[in-house]
Amino acid sequence: MIRRTASVLVAGGTGFIGSAVARRLRNDGVDVSIAARATGVDLIDPRAVAGLGAFDAIVHAACRASVPESWSSPATFYRDHFLVTLNLLELARNTGARLVLASTYVYGTAPPVPVSEEAPARPHSPYTASRWHSELLCRGYHRDHGVATDVLRIFNAYGPGQRREFVVPAVVAGALGGRIELAAREPRRDFVHVDDVAHAVALALARSERSYAVF
């Protein structure tokens, strides 16, 4: 695991995945700082991000998470995901920090199952496309500036604290209320508990290779 003396910035650390990551790292004895709009940090502002200081590692878990909303406001998703990722990569480049990016399902609607990291990316919504662009930024910063980056393609995370509009909380609430209603029954998904996501992030932070890797 990551050493106890390490300092880690969790960008988006008040969100669903970010808060689970921050909680896990603190339980491991890691010095954790959180940057999010809820803590008064605008991650879209390069000066605000540059002023956060130096860290051994940065966890990028800051994102807009609604696929339906990305169809109605695509420019917001592309802009925010690109700028936040760019600013965090600049912070990593200038301070020598390792970056772990919490990405998402970028393989399209019908990849071979089980899907592997080598499967081609075929984003199928403004949400997944904007997250894919974040991955490309990370790849470029590793190639051109040596920023060590691990990309974790997370899908579909669930667990305590997730908003009601997501499928698992909706099913649980429906079961408790006596009626389960789904928008569609056709999609088939894999699920991962948010605590397992946090464990995966901790493992990535403990890696010593100065590489660009996708998991």
Side-chain angles (χ1 to χ4, degrees):
M1 290 299 183
I2 188 170
R3 66 188 189 280
R4 288 177 174 267
T5 56
S7 60
V8 176
L9 173 68
V10 180
T14 60
F16 171 54
I17 288 177
S19 60
V21 169
R23 181 169 59 250
R24 167 61 190 255
L25 295 178
R26 283 171 172 160
N27 288 341
D28 288 344
V30 176
D31 178 17
V32 174
S33 297
I34 289 175
R37 189 166 290 142
T39 65
V41 180
D42 183 2
L43 294 169
I44 297 175
D45 182 353
R47 292 171 298 181
V49 175
L52 291 172
F55 304 89
D56 296 304
I58 300 167
V59 177
H60 179 359
C63 72
R64 295 180 175 272
S66 172
V67 174
E69 185 184 344
S70 76
W71 286 106
S72 60
S73 302
T76 301
F77 278 70
Y78 282 108
R79 181 198 65 211
D80 289 4
H81 289 162
F82 184 90
L83 290 177
V84 171
T85 304
L86 181 64
N87 292 338
L88 293 173
L89 283 167
E90 274 292 282
L91 182 63
R93 180 179 73 87
N94 290 325
T95 62
R98 178 180 209 89
L99 186 124
V100 175
L101 172 66
S103 188
T104 191
Y105 183 85
V106 296
Y107 300 106
T109 57
V113 177
V115 66
S116 75
E117 291 89 344
E118 288 73 33
R122 294 190 175 96
H124 58 292
S125 69
Y127 169 72
T128 52
S130 63
R131 303 296 296 280
W132 169 240
H133 288 173
S134 293
E135 290 193 24
L136 293 177
L137 266 179
C138 290
R139 183 185 300 176
Y141 262 71
H142 170 70
R143 180 193 64 231
D144 300 334
H145 307 292
V147 176
T149 305
D150 291 322
V151 175
L152 305 185
R153 291 176 176 166
I154 301 162
F155 54 93
N156 288 77
Y158 74 97
Q162 191 171 35
R163 300 199 308 267
R164 169 66 186 271
E165 62 261 32
F166 288 89
V167 63
V168 171
V171 168
V172 171
L176 293 174
R179 180 180 177 83
I180 297 174
E181 296 183 1
L182 300 176
R185 292 182 297 175
E186 293 78 15
R188 302 182 67 178
R189 300 182 176 95
D190 288 313
F191 292 93
V192 58
H193 195 277
V194 70
D195 288 346
D196 292 321
V197 172
H199 178 60
V201 171
L203 291 174
L205 290 171
R207 282 169 30 87
S208 59
E209 293 87 349
R210 302 292 297 178
S211 62
Y212 174 84
V214 176
F215 300 96

